[in-house]
Amino acid sequence: MDINIKIDDLVYPYFVTHGDKVSQEIDGFPGIYRFSSDRLIKDIGEIKSLGINKILIFGIPLKKDAQGSLAYSKNNLISQTVKKIKQEFKDLTVITDVCLCAYTNHGHCGLLENNSRRIDVKVTLSKLSDIAVKHAEAGADWVAPSAMAKKQVFYIRHALDEAGLNKTKILGYSAKFSSYFYGPFRNAANSFPRFGDRSAYQLDPNNTKEALDEIRQDIREKADAVMVKPALAYLDVVKEAKEKFNFPLFVYNVSGEYAMVKYAARLGTWDEKQIVGEIITSLKRAGADFIITYHAKTIAEWISKERQKL
Ligand code: PBG
């Protein structure tokens, strides 16, 4: 099978951290790095020359606290990084993840009510809106709230519009399941919840109806696109979402789904290129418009090699 993938459909995720000349491969996440912004810019140069034109960025702060304050500080890591990226690359679509879990010392996606283990929804929504506005002011084309706080899209849209940022788009992580496939990502961001799990706000893998309701709700709240995540283990939801809403649909081929393929390929018992091609085909067949995948750079390399052969 030739790889029959449109590079325009792919989004490549990045992890950015503080410092200079930092390029650390992440444990349990082969081929994926924490980059400081200088190294990130260098890598983006490579993927751009391979034809990738969409990225999603996550910040990994050096310090975490109960309020997740470095997520929305004036000169936060993501805002700084987006500014640098936009100076270098004018025609690159930059999507930023809007969440608190990498910034809070308890590892949850929202802020907690005083001395409790409950998410304070009101405060969380206001902080998420603040983060989104700061990212957008720095030049992010899309903000992607992933905290699964109820009505987050509504609040963020309102805050963006108030700030005159009506061109910034919102990608809702609408149907984000409570999944163990996020393992390598949590390792990357050191964001394992310190108590409990995320099942109070992420979705139950058994409940398709709830997932479709969340998607419908994000569309009502004026998301510009919606998402199903993880992708592979939830292809039925992808298909139903596309059929039901016929709305721009992203799927997130998450860290655990990626790592499984990479480790199996290392054993030398299967052909990584064919397997990845088949995975991408399955996601498109199910109805995905855009695919967020850590395989994107390798795919682009394969495609460019094939072109050179012609
Ligand atoms: C943050 C967030 C997560 C992922 C993307 N945004 C992880 C989580 O809920 O712990 C996972 C992505 C991946 O596994 O590749 N809320």
Side-chain angles (χ1 to χ4, degrees), residues 130-147:
D130 189 12
I131 298 171
V133 168
K134 290 203 164 86
H135 291 181
E137 281 170 348
D141 302 286
W142 289 72
V143 290
S146 70

Side-chain angles (χ1 to χ4, degrees), residues 25-165:
E25 195 172 11
I26 299 160
D27 275 350
F29 210 164
I32 302 298
Y33 294 78
R34 292 189 195 92
F35 287 130
S36 50
S37 56
D38 54 319
R39 289 296 163 92
L40 177 73
I41 298 282
K42 188 165 161 274
D43 206 81
I44 296 176
E46 293 173 17
I47 62 159
K48 277 232 72 198
S49 66
L50 291 165
I52 296 177
N53 54 25
K54 296 178 191 66
I55 64 169
L56 167 63
I57 53 173
F58 294 94
I60 304 183
L62 289 182
K63 278 203 310 250
K64 301 177 192 257
D65 60 26
Q67 314 307 324
S69 31
L70 290 187
Y72 45 86
S73 57
K74 192 155 175 281
N75 230 344
N76 67 81
L77 177 60
I78 293 295
S79 295
Q80 281 178 32
T81 307
V82 171
K83 279 185 202 149
K84 288 185 197 157
I85 296 173
K86 283 286 172 180
Q87 269 163 16
E88 294 282 331
F89 308 100
K90 298 282 178 255
D91 54 345
L92 176 76
T93 300
V94 178
I95 310 172
T96 61
D97 185 80
V98 174
C99 196
L100 286 150
C101 62
Y103 299 86
T104 51
N105 53 13
H106 44 74
H108 281 285
C109 298
L111 301 187
L112 305 177
E113 283 175 13
N114 274 344
N115 300 321
S116 85
R117 296 186 162 197
R118 278 216 315 270
I119 302 268
D120 186 331
V121 180
K122 222 173 130 205
V123 175
T124 298
L125 287 168
S126 105
K127 294 304 180 198
L128 293 172
S129 305
D130 189 12
I131 298 171
V133 168
K134 290 203 164 86
H135 291 181
E137 281 170 348
D141 302 286
W142 289 72
V143 290
S146 70
M148 293 304 283
K150 290 262 178 269
K151 299 199 93 177
Q152 57 184 3
V153 171
F154 174 83
Y155 278 87
I156 289 174
R157 181 72 272 159
H158 183 74
L160 289 171
D161 291 347
E162 288 266 284
L165 296 158

Side-chain angles (χ1 to χ4, degrees), residues 99 101 146 176 182 185-186 198 202 229 254-255 294:
C99 196
C101 62
S146 70
K176 178 174 178 184
Y182 306 149
F185 176 97
R186 290 182 185 172
R198 302 209 205 293
Q202 297 185 350
K229 168 187 174 188
V254 299
S255 57
Y294 304 95

